[in-house]
């Protein structure tokens, strides 16, 4: 029978002596941890809680490591973290924004890279839910690398160069200074004061500089081999945002508890994320991010619940075992009448990622060669000033002005580009339905009907 273990971390403050005098005082984090533990206890989990001084980096990493040792295939693990988040420079050069997201433990920062390395210690098909109510937490569980086949251009990387005689502090500051000056757009109206769950960038930078050998070693220590567990993160915000604290709970946890509704929520994990997202302000956008295998049973299960497989009577094995992550897919009509005023609609399955952008062209070479693109042969939602975000819905409708520009072509090729982040400036976990090298095999719409003359006027 499947077992469940949950770990709940809450820090209303840290050891100021470890953070150059900064105590990191918050109000709602211990309440968050207590509330999350209460939910998991009600669902039959064996629970552990680390509060304030108990929540050292070693205690957090050790508790997750022990869970990895004890849990077996088919078991469920829930980890909740409420406290400060931060970002430090990525010394490896693999992160496109030059920064590594962190949890601010009582005595030092826990790197997202360290968390990622732990996921590989879990047995195959263990289901892991992570809830992070902290700043810069959108992809805190990931490793610092670009997915297979995607390498961030060397000229774009912001790693701190390694010099034979040591590191130049000025280079480090030049990397981190932009992030240090970035602040959220303002508090939500129902949150007390403007307290954010973010370590001040200047403190994070000073601590990182002081303890650089330790942090650098953690970043360069890589997990080898595939992660065979399934990890789903629902975070309090995106990597470039801050999570807001409150007197009772953090804003993210407050909305999570509201959606949970004392256990009356009956949807899946993606639906849980979407329901929380609908209650959040624009300046704090919870993220949905996955690592490891794509387990359909897990993804479609009720959140904060021990997952129970439907097993066959003959073998006792799961009736539908986990599968490897499936790539994004988009389909559309095979033919379309160009005389129609509205453009075609497309059915989208973004795969493991939550967000997607759309591209359509009369020349498949335009997918990989930007110089060949013109207004009447190529359209991309990510380059449309009227589109302010990526998409999440299962149906995509081509805007009328894009259809007006493209409909006099004989055929149109289309694809989607997906990412695990909402931020238009990032492409974490980038995946595409048709690669540039296979552009000619992209799904196609044959256009028929009379050539429009004059063309439709964009709205």
């Amino acid at each position: 029978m499947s077992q469940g273990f949950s770990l709940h971390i809450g820090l209303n403050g840290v050891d100021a002596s470890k953070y150059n005098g900064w105590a990191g005082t918050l109000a709602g984090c211990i309440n968050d941890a207590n509330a999350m533990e209460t939910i998991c206890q009600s669902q039959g989990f064996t629970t552990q809680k680390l509060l304030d001084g108990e929540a050292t980096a070693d205690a957090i990493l050790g508790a997750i490591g022990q869970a990895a040792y004890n849990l077996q295939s088919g078991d469920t693990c829930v980890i909740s973290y409420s406290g400060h988040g931060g970002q430090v420079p990525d010394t490896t050069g693999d992160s496109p924004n030059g920064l590594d997201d962190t949890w601010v433990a009582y005595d030092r920062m826990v790197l997202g890279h360290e968390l990622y390395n732990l996921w590989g210690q879990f047995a195959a098909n263990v289901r892991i839910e992570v809830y992070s109510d902290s700043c810069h937490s959108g992809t805190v569980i990931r490793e610092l690398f670009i997915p297979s086949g995607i390498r961030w251009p060397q000229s774009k990387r912001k790693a701190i160069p390694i010099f034979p005689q040591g590191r130049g502090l000025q280079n480090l500051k030049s990397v981190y200074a932009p992030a240090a000056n970035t602040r959220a757009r303002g508090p939500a109206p129902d949150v007390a004061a403007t307290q954010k769950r973010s370590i001040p960038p200047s403190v994070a930078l000073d601590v990182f500089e002081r303890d650089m050998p330790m942090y650098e070693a953690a970043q360069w220590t890589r997990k080898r081999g595939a992660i065979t567990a399934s990890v789903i993160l629902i975070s309090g915000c995106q990597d470039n945002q801050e999570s807001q604290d409150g007197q009772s709970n953090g804003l993210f946890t407050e909305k999570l508890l509201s959606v949970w509704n004392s256990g009356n929520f009956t949807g899946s994990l993606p639906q849980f994320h979407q329901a929380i997202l609908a209650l959040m302000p624009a300046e704090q956008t919870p993220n949905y991010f996955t690592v490891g295998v794509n387990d359909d049973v897990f993804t479609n299960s009720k959140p904060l619940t021990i997952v129970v497989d439907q097993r066959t009577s003959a073998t006792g094995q799961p009736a539908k075992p986990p599968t490897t992550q499936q790539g994004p897919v988009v389909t559309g009509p095979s033919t379309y009448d160009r005389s129609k005023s509205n453009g075609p609609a497309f059915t989208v399955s973004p795969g493991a990622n939550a967000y997607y952008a759309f591209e359509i062209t009369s020349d498949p070479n335009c997918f990989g060669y930007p110089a060949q693109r013109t207004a009447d042969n190529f359209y991309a939602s990510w380059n449309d000033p009227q589109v302010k975000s990526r998409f999440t819905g299962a149906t995509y409708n081509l805007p009328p002005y894009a259809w007006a520009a493209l409909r006099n072509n004989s055929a149109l090729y289309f694809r989607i580009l997906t990412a695990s982040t909402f931020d238009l400036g990032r492409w974490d976990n980038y995946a595409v339905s048709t690669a540039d090298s296979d552009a000619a095999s992209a799904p196609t719409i044959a256009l028929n009907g009379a050539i429009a003359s004059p063309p439709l006027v964009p709205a």
Side-chain angles (χ1 to χ4, degrees):
M1 180 177 179
S2 298
Q3 304 295 313
F5 169 79
S6 67
L7 172 66
H8 308 283
I9 306 159
L11 290 119
N12 278 346
V14 298
D15 184 349
S17 69
K18 303 295 185 181
Y19 291 95
N20 294 351
W22 176 74
T25 303
L26 292 168
C29 298
I30 289 179
N31 289 341
D32 290 351
N34 289 334
M36 295 296 286
E37 182 186 42
T38 298
I39 289 174
C40 288
Q41 286 175 337
S42 73
Q43 299 301 309
F45 286 83
T46 299
T47 66
Q48 180 180 355
K49 188 164 56 182
L50 298 173
L51 304 178
D52 284 348
E54 301 168 337
T56 64
D58 284 349
I60 292 170
L61 296 173
I64 298 174
Q66 289 179 28
Y69 181 81
N70 292 324
L71 295 177
Q72 300 178 12
S73 178
D75 289 344
T76 304
C77 179
V78 170
I79 300 170
S80 70
Y81 172 83
S82 289
H84 285 289
Q87 293 178 312
V88 297
D90 163 24
T91 64
T92 69
D94 285 337
S95 179
N97 70 349
L99 301 171
D100 187 5
D101 303 327
T102 71
W103 283 349
V104 181
Y106 188 72
D107 57 341
R108 73 165 177 88
M109 290 176 282
V110 174
L111 303 179
H113 186 91
E114 293 179 282
L115 295 174
Y116 181 92
N117 284 345
L118 287 169
W119 310 138
Q121 298 181 23
F122 282 83
N125 306 330
V126 172
R127 288 78 179 249
I128 307 167
E129 293 176 51
V130 182
Y131 297 88
S132 184
D133 194 346
S134 60
C135 294
H136 312 299
S137 56
T139 57
V140 71
I141 64 170
R142 69 168 167 81
E143 190 192 18
L144 301 175
F145 70 89
I146 307 301
S148 176
I150 305 297
R151 297 298 300 170
W152 198 255
Q154 188 68 38
S155 61
K156 298 287 188 179
R157 298 183 190 177
K158 298 182 179 179
I160 306 159
I162 299 177
F163 300 101
Q165 305 302 321
R167 295 183 179 276
L169 175 60
Q170 192 59 43
N171 288 332
L172 187 151
K173 290 183 176 179
S174 71
V175 171
Y176 200 51
N181 293 327
T182 300
R183 310 301 299 172
R185 289 175 286 177
D190 58 342
V191 176
T194 58
Q195 183 67 34
K196 306 294 177 59
R197 293 183 172 183
S198 176
I199 183 173
S202 59
V203 174
L205 181 60
D206 288 344
V207 170
F208 182 85
E209 174 197 347
R210 184 193 68 199
D211 300 326
M212 187 183 293
M214 175 188 64
Y215 288 118
E216 184 184 52
Q219 289 178 335
W220 283 96
T221 302
R222 295 185 176 278
K223 165 71 180 67
R224 300 296 182 185
I227 294 175
T228 56
S230 178
V231 190
I232 294 177
L233 167 70
I234 300 181
S235 68
C237 64
Q238 300 291 317
D239 285 342
N240 64 342
Q241 295 177 331
E242 294 179 307
S243 289
Q244 301 179 39
D245 192 32
Q247 293 302 312
S248 297
N249 296 104
L251 179 61
F252 169 72
T253 302
E254 172 192 314
K255 302 308 181 187
L256 181 154
L257 295 174
S258 176
V259 172
W260 175 250
N261 190 23
S262 300
N264 290 314
F265 179 84
T266 58
S268 66
L269 279 160
Q271 291 168 337
F272 194 48
H273 164 253
Q274 289 294 318
I276 298 169
L277 178 64
L279 300 179
M280 299 293 287
E283 63 268 23
Q284 186 177 336
T285 311
N287 196 28
Y288 184 93
F289 187 84
T290 65
V291 167
V293 300
N294 181 27
D295 183 339
D296 294 335
V297 174
F298 179 34
T299 301
N300 293 314
S301 67
K302 180 177 177 178
L304 301 168
T305 303
I306 298 173
V307 181
V308 178
D309 289 334
Q310 297 296 323
R311 299 182 181 269
T312 64
S313 57
T315 66
Q317 297 301 310
K320 188 175 183 180
T323 59
T324 56
Q325 287 187 350
Q326 297 186 1
V329 176
V330 57
T331 59
S334 58
T335 61
Y336 202 76
D337 187 345
R338 60 168 59 89
S339 66
K340 292 184 177 181
S341 58
N342 293 322
F346 302 85
T347 300
V348 176
S349 175
N353 291 326
Y355 308 101
Y356 67 88
F358 183 85
E359 290 183 343
I360 187 167
T361 179
S362 62
D363 179 359
N365 290 322
C366 289
F367 287 141
Y369 295 93
Q372 299 183 19
R373 298 170 184 172
T374 65
D376 58 3
N377 76 3
F378 181 83
Y379 170 79
S381 65
W382 53 262
N383 196 40
D384 186 342
Q386 298 189 51
V387 175
K388 304 302 182 183
S389 66
R390 293 192 175 123
F391 301 96
T392 59
T395 301
Y396 174 80
N397 293 290
L398 189 66
Y401 47 88
W403 173 236
L406 295 170
R407 67 174 185 161
N408 280 338
N409 291 291
S410 60
L412 296 174
Y413 300 77
F414 55 92
R415 69 177 184 175
I416 56 170
L417 300 79
T418 73
S420 58
T421 50
F422 183 79
D423 181 1
L424 285 172
R426 297 180 61 120
W427 288 96
D428 291 336
N429 270 11
Y430 173 84
V432 63
S433 58
T434 303
D436 294 347
S437 59
D438 297 324
S441 65
T444 310
I445 303 174
L447 301 181
N448 52 39
I451 296 292
S453 180
L456 295 174
V457 178

